[in-house]
Amino acid sequence: DRLLKNFANLEEEEKLKYISQINRYSKNTYSLLNNLFLWARSQTGTLKINFRRANLKTIVDNIVEFFEVNSVRKSITLTASIDNELHGYFDVDMITTVIRNLVSNALKFTNANGKITINAKEVGDMIQVEVSDTGIGISKEEQISLFSIDKQSNLVDSSENEGKGLGMILIKEFVSKNGGDIWVESELNVGSTFKFTLPKAL
C-alpha cells in the first residue's frame, strides 16, 4: 500500500526494498500453496504414484543445474557425487520434489562461501541419499518437531523462518510413500545433513 500510494515520493532505494520484500513474500506464498496442494492430494488419495526404475544421477544432475544460478549468486558451492550405475525404484516426480526442496532449503540457510553437497550410496536393499550443507544448523528442539505436522507451530513460511513448515511435512510424506525413511543430523552454526532412503532397483 505504501509503495502504491507514495511511489512518486519514495527514494529509489526505498522502492527497491519494498519490491524485494513483495518478491520474497510472493515466492514464499507460492511455495506454501504448491506444497499444500500436493500434500492435500496425497492425503485424499488423488496423487498417483508411478514407481519405475530410475537413474538417480540424472535426477540430481538436473537439480544441480536448476540451482546453479542461485548458488553462484550466493557464492555457495553446490556439488553432487552420484554413481552413474545407481538406480532406484521410485516415483521420479516425488523424489525430484524431495531433493529440490532439500537443496532449496540448504541454499536459504547457508551463508556466502558455504558448501552444499549431494551424495548417495547403497545400504543393503536401499539407497541412502544425503544433502549436506555448512549452514546455520537446526537446534535439537526443532529437529524433534521438524517432520511432525501436529507439532508445527507455524506452517506459513515467514522471512525469518523460510523453508520450515509444510515443506518438510511434504518431504517426509513423499519419502514414506516411496518406501523410505528420512531424518536429519545437525549442529547449530556448523551445518545440517538430511538423509533419506529409497528402494534400490533390482
Side-chain angles (χ1 to χ4, degrees):
D1 286 345
R2 178 170 168 78
L3 183 65
L4 183 64
K5 294 174 182 177
N6 303 287
F7 188 85
N9 300 320
L10 293 173
E11 298 291 335
E12 291 299 315
E13 186 176 343
E14 198 170 8
K15 290 177 184 177
L16 183 60
K17 181 186 74 172
Y18 285 125
I19 292 171
S20 296
Q21 288 179 339
I22 292 168
N23 179 261
R24 184 169 70 253
Y25 294 153
S26 297
K27 287 181 177 178
N28 287 346
T29 302
Y30 173 79
S31 178
L32 174 68
L33 289 174
N34 188 55
N35 285 338
L36 180 61
F37 174 68
L38 290 172
W39 181 78
R41 288 181 64 192
S42 73
Q43 294 300 297
T44 57
T46 59
L47 188 64
K48 303 301 181 183
I49 305 177
N50 180 27
F51 290 103
R52 67 179 178 87
R53 191 175 191 270
N55 184 287
L56 191 62
K57 178 176 171 58
T58 300
I59 294 170
V60 172
D61 284 350
N62 287 337
I63 291 172
V64 170
E65 182 179 358
F66 178 83
F67 284 109
E68 183 178 7
V69 173
N70 280 348
S71 61
V72 170
R73 181 174 56 83
K74 291 194 66 177
S75 298
I76 294 172
T77 302
L78 173 59
T79 59
S81 179
I82 310 291
D83 191 326
N84 191 48
E85 300 303 316
L86 199 56
H87 290 77
Y89 189 73
F90 52 80
D91 185 293
V92 171
D93 290 338
M94 284 189 176
I95 298 309
T96 298
T97 298
V98 168
I99 300 174
R100 281 180 61 170
N101 270 324
L102 290 176
V103 174
S104 177
N105 286 342
L107 283 168
K108 290 176 184 176
F109 294 108
T110 301
N111 295 322
N113 302 314
K115 295 180 180 179
I116 299 171
T117 57
I118 309 171
N119 298 299
K121 61 183 179 181
E122 294 184 18
V123 180
D125 294 332
M126 306 293 282
I127 296 172
Q128 182 172 300
V129 183
E130 301 179 0
V131 178
S132 302
D133 65 62
T134 58
I136 63 174
I138 305 169
S139 69
K140 297 297 183 183
E141 292 75 16
E142 285 183 299
Q143 290 178 42
I144 294 172
S145 61
L146 196 59
F147 300 109
S148 302
I149 194 166
D150 58 329
K151 295 180 181 178
Q152 288 285 359
S153 59
N154 180 20
L155 290 180
V156 180
D157 295 344
S158 68
S159 58
E160 295 81 14
N161 194 34
E162 292 183 36
K164 295 188 175 67
L166 194 59
M168 284 299 173
I169 307 303
L170 183 68
I171 286 171
K172 179 176 176 60
E173 182 81 10
F174 279 8
V175 170
S176 296
K177 284 185 176 297
N178 280 271
D181 194 13
I182 185 168
W183 64 98
V184 61
E185 298 172 1
S186 183
E187 185 177 344
L188 287 175
N189 302 315
V190 175
S192 304
T193 298
F194 284 85
K195 301 181 180 183
F196 68 93
T197 55
L198 296 169
K200 185 173 63 176
L202 301 177

